[in-house]
Amino acid sequence: MASKIEPLLTVADLDALPEDDGNRYELIGGVLFVSCAPGISHQLVLQNLQIGLSDYLRLNPVGILVPGAGAIFSDYDAVIPDLAFVRHERWEQVVTGEKFTGALDIVVEILSPGSQNRRRDLTAKRQLYAQYSVAEYWIVDSENQAVLIFKLREQTLEEAATLHQEDELSSRILPGFRLKVSNIFKL
């Protein structure tokens, strides 16, 4: 007996899903991923990181930081990064209308609780972002009070550093940016 092959979902299918049910829907390789709306601690960590980056960008206006906007890379790949950064000189290449459609300079995901969420961000999204040439991928791990930094090398996002409490977050894409990791996790 032949097994049934499920059709891949598309961005059009994703657009047909309810918007006000408290879930976040993402597609990676035509496979639907559903997660609950972020909790308070997730959002506070996001706010701390966003404030640190925004303070830097106010003094060093090298690009634009956007929280929670959709990134549609293909008909089968559509995700919602927690934060996305694009340098000014690349903005027109990366943005179409109200969505990101090209290679972002930095993508930040804050891990949500649960092994399925960890797998999605550490494996599926990492592979997706590498496939679409995201230069840097930061994973903020509240559970372990750490930030994992991945850098693009030959279509692979390779782990470059794991930063802990007393370490400082920095990036070659953001010259002079420094943020103590412990400041990200202050609630």
Side-chain angles (χ1 to χ4, degrees), residues 65-81:
L65 180 69
V66 182
I72 300 174
F73 297 117
S74 76
D75 284 343
Y76 303 100
D77 298 301
V79 293
I80 307 168

Side-chain angles (χ1 to χ4, degrees), residues 17-68:
L17 295 172
E19 292 182 26
D20 58 353
D21 66 352
N23 290 318
R24 292 176 70 162
Y25 298 98
E26 298 179 305
L27 281 180
I28 301 175
V31 176
L32 181 66
F33 289 82
V34 182
S35 57
C36 296
I40 291 172
S41 59
H42 177 283
Q43 293 305 90
L44 289 173
V45 167
L46 173 63
Q47 178 178 274
N48 291 341
L49 188 53
Q50 188 174 350
I51 288 170
L53 286 163
S54 294
D55 287 348
Y56 164 82
L57 290 170
R58 217 175 343 275
L59 298 172
N60 305 274
V62 296
I64 299 171
L65 180 69
V66 182

Side-chain angles (χ1 to χ4, degrees), residues 136-153:
E136 287 188 14
Y137 180 35
W138 302 356
I139 296 178
V140 179
D141 182 351
S142 297
E143 183 179 321
N144 295 305
Q145 304 274 291
V147 180
L148 289 77
I149 306 295
F150 298 89
K151 294 183 180 181
L152 188 66
R153 288 190 183 86

Side-chain angles (χ1 to χ4, degrees), residues 100-120:
F100 294 113
T101 55
L104 299 155
D105 290 306
I106 300 173
V107 169
V108 179
E109 295 285 0
I110 299 167
L111 290 178
S112 296
S115 60
Q116 184 176 14
N117 292 321
R118 289 184 75 82
R119 256 191 322 276
R120 180 191 61 235

